[in-house]
Structure formats: C-alpha cells, structure tokens
Amino acid sequence: MAGTAPRLDTLPAEWWERLGARLIEALVFGVFYYILFIALWGFFRTVGMAEVFGGRLPGVFAWLLAGLAYAGYDWWAHSRHGRTFGKAIMKIRLAPDGLPPRDLLKRTLVYPAPVMLMGIPVVNLLAGMLLFGVGLLILIDKPLERGPHDRAAGTRVVKDLR
C-alpha cells in the first residue's frame, strides 16, 4: 500500500492547518515534558546525580521519554483514528484510511520520532535541522504537500470533510 499513488479527489490540508495541529500537540506534550523534567530533576538530585553531565541528565531523559510518548501516541492515534487530537481540532486527517500499522510506523519513525533526540546536546542541532527540513519539504511539494514521513507511509494529510 505504501507504493500506491495517493488519491487526488481529496483536498490537501493547508500548511498552516498542519502546523496548527502540531503546535496544539506540542503544547500538551511540552507540559508533559516539564512535568517529567521536574520529577527527574528531583529524583537525580535525591540520588546525588543532578550535576552529572553539567546538570543536563534530567533534561536528556525528559526529552527521551516525552519524545517516545509523543511518537507512540502519534503512531497509535493514526493507526486507530487516522488523526491525532491536534488534527481533529484542525479538522484534518490522514488519507487513505485503513493503512496497516507497519506503514504508519514508518511515518512515525521519520517524524515525530526524532523529537526524542532534542534533549541531547549537539545531536539536538541535527534533529532540529531534520524537523525543519520535513516542514520545508511539505511546503515545497506541490500539489500534494507531502513530507518524507508521508512519502514513507504512502499517506497525505487532507481536510476532513466528513
């Protein structure tokens, strides 16, 4: 199914709708990250490891856990509902419906899984450039507006006109 051409009878989501959906989700997972960071900072401080690696250890682990949770949620939501809560609010969804979870896992591994690396010094620059590149490729891919994660899974993000 990943090799089939996407249908053209649906309207692609606008770039700002996709960005809005990701920003809504980033707000929620950002709160989750800070809760994890505070809990991990308290834990590492209690066990005397708060200053290991220049005090960056709680942030690294918080990013890894929050990024893993976000990637897992992204895969689960697209597998079960064809959209995340951010996409539901913005009234957009993935097309085609009913893709195998394995294809959607490919999509998740390209984006948003690299978010897990954002807490690691130096690697975060590469992860940030990758995420920026994904957004840029969505903008310049006309008329389908597909990023590399959509191409890997054979999906498109479309307006949910149901």
Side-chain angles (χ1 to χ4, degrees):
M1 187 105 19
T4 61
R7 291 176 36 188
L8 296 174
D9 62 345
T10 54
L11 295 173
E14 301 289 334
W15 68 268
W16 58 267
E17 292 171 314
R18 294 180 75 158
L19 179 62
R22 289 293 185 186
L23 288 175
I24 290 166
E25 294 161 9
L27 178 65
V28 172
F29 280 93
V31 169
F32 179 60
Y33 160 78
Y34 280 110
I35 291 169
L36 275 172
F37 176 80
I38 291 167
L40 288 169
W41 182 80
F43 171 76
F44 285 122
R45 186 169 172 242
T46 302
V47 297
M49 294 179 59
E51 295 304 316
V52 175
F53 298 115
R56 290 187 172 99
L57 206 53
V60 169
F61 279 108
W63 265 113
L64 286 172
L65 292 172
L68 180 63
Y70 184 46
Y73 167 74
D74 188 84
W75 173 78
W76 176 83
H78 286 121
S79 297
R80 301 271 300 179
H81 308 292
R83 61 186 180 181
T84 58
F85 65 87
K87 284 183 176 74
I89 291 169
M90 296 303 294
K91 297 185 179 358
I92 58 178
R93 64 178 173 83
L94 276 187
D97 293 329
L99 283 175
R102 182 177 50 219
D103 288 345
L104 294 171
L105 183 60
K106 290 181 210 171
R107 184 180 197 276
T108 299
L109 290 175
V110 176
Y111 182 77
V115 169
M116 291 185 287
L117 306 175
M118 295 296 285
I120 303 171
V122 180
V123 176
N124 62 358
L125 297 172
L126 298 173
M129 290 185 328
L130 173 69
L131 299 178
F132 178 78
V134 166
L136 188 62
L137 290 170
I138 290 169
L139 288 174
I140 62 175
D141 181 47
K142 300 294 180 191
L144 299 179
E145 299 180 5
R146 296 170 63 192
H149 58 306
D150 292 314
R151 289 181 182 282
T155 59
R156 293 177 58 211
V157 179
V158 298
K159 295 181 185 286
D160 193 1
L161 304 175
R162 302 183 258 176

